[in-house]
Amino acid sequence: MFDGINLSNLDEEERRALNGRRIAMIFQDPLAYLNPVYTVGRQIAEVFESHSEHGRGSVRDKVVQLMQRVGIPEPEKRIDHYPHQFSGGQRQRVMIAMAIALKPDILIADEPTTALDVSVQAQILDLLRDLQRETGMAMIMITHDLEVAAAMADRIIVMNGGKVVESGNAEEVFTSPGHAYTRRLMAAVPQRDPGRQRVSTAVKGDVLLQVENLSKHYMLTSGLFMPKREFRAVDDVSFVLRRGQTVGIVGESGSGKSSIARMLLRLNDPTSGRALFAGEDIFQLEGKALNGFRRRVQMVFQDPFGSMNPRMNVRAIICEPLVIHPGHPAAFALE
């Protein structure tokens, strides 16, 4: 029941009138929900055009104001850009702008910060809190992140297997969880203790990978007649990885983390520097030598949906490496 209306009894026309205007939603993966062939300005404007009779001129002004409100820089220019031209955090801000355009009574945020780094995540959560204070809207925050729930929620509903197993005041649920499942969730939260020294159980052996002065620079231009400028995605990075060791590369979105990984897998070539794997410079490998290297070094990508071929079933996807590298013992299972 929403404001005396049974939502399950609405027909399609009634639901379309309600969705977006009074109940709006921020989806988990902005890139999957933003149309790649339309500018973000056009997509935000669609919210106004679907629910009102504003002229195009006034709608554009409203879109610029919304983009400015959610913290997108230079909204007068960015309004004509496409989704792929925005970072993950900025795309999420575009989704928020669409959701709050008509000042809804309820905003449903479905894992709005899952794919964002911690600093951008904090910015998005601060923005949602500010918008809630300004408009007085109610919010449903759907999340698996207990820290996000603790920071945002007044009340907590814990679900397991499609059922509500516990609900109550946020402070009470977090400090005195009553259900065994909730207690397991709390116990699974990583504990941060700066004073405790982490002891690794891995046996660290010889140097396996040695990265020396790795750099990746791009030449960018803002327009047809604008001078090019150099963008340094990775600049003079060096580190060593030993057998059995884990090296963490940490930083904000755009700091160069994924660029390093893609170069080490030879998906991108470096501007300068070298990387020695088992004593060989991987940037000098070609043909069979490169293919053999890729058999020994693999990558788990950030977005599984964007990394898997939708035309292939799961068996074909998993078997593909065994087809490419037929000499592997596991490949005999395909025969």
Side-chain angles (χ1 to χ4, degrees), residues 29-224:
D29 182 6
L31 197 57
Y33 285 92
L34 292 170
N35 192 321
V37 302
Y38 289 122
T39 64
V40 298
R42 175 68 186 85
Q43 295 181 67
I44 298 173
E46 188 177 17
V47 179
F48 293 103
E49 294 165 2
S50 298
H51 291 279
S52 60
E53 302 296 330
H54 295 293
R56 281 196 170 271
S58 62
V59 168
R60 184 177 177 89
D61 293 339
K62 289 178 179 292
V63 172
V64 170
Q65 293 171 11
L66 273 171
M67 293 178 67
Q68 185 175 31
R69 177 63 196 89
V70 297
I72 296 176
E74 299 182 299
E76 297 85 359
K77 297 179 181 179
R78 304 304 302 277
I79 188 174
D80 295 317
H81 288 185
Y82 292 86
H84 73 272
Q85 295 175 287
F86 292 79
S87 68
Q90 288 176 334
R91 287 194 291 264
Q92 194 61 281
R93 291 173 187 269
V94 171
M95 293 290 293
I96 293 173
M98 295 172 67
I100 67 169
L102 300 179
K103 300 180 180 179
D105 298 301
I106 297 177
L107 177 65
I108 302 173
D110 183 10
E111 300 280 7
T113 60
T114 294
L116 306 178
D117 62 62
V118 289
S119 59
V120 178
Q121 179 186 83
Q123 295 170 16
I124 294 298
L125 294 180
D126 287 342
L127 173 60
L128 290 175
R129 277 191 290 260
D130 290 344
L131 292 170
Q132 187 176 37
R133 282 193 293 265
E134 288 178 13
T135 64
M137 65 183 177
M139 186 156 53
I140 299 174
M141 174 69 69
I142 299 171
T143 181
H144 66 270
D145 191 325
L146 295 180
E147 292 186 354
V148 169
M152 296 293 294
D154 301 301
R155 290 183 55 79
I156 297 289
I157 296 174
V158 182
M159 294 190 64
N160 182 30
K163 297 180 179 180
V164 174
V165 297
E166 185 167 357
S167 64
N169 177 276
E171 184 176 356
E172 293 176 356
V173 172
F174 279 104
T175 56
S176 303
H179 195 275
Y181 176 73
T182 309
R183 290 194 291 271
R184 290 199 300 272
L185 287 180
M186 301 300 177
V189 176
Q191 300 299 315
R192 297 177 184 148
D193 185 358
R196 182 176 64 88
Q197 184 176 2
R198 182 180 182 274
V199 178
S200 176
T201 57
V203 178
K204 300 177 184 63
D206 298 333
V207 172
L208 185 64
L209 176 69
Q210 184 170 342
V211 178
E212 299 176 350
N213 310 112
L214 189 63
S215 297
K216 180 64 177 178
H217 303 165
Y218 296 94
M219 297 305 296
L220 304 178
T221 180
S222 301
L224 185 61

Side-chain angles (χ1 to χ4, degrees), residues 287-320:
K288 290 184 177 180
L290 178 58
N291 199 40
F293 163 75
R294 284 178 168 159
R295 177 173 157 179
R296 301 179 65 188
V297 179
Q298 285 293 309
M299 184 168 175
V300 180
F301 291 92
Q302 183 174 352
D303 179 11
F305 187 77
S307 303
M308 295 184 187
N309 191 329
R311 297 178 179 272
M312 296 169 64
N313 61 32
V314 174
R315 182 182 187 277
I317 291 172
I318 296 175
C319 289
E320 188 175 30

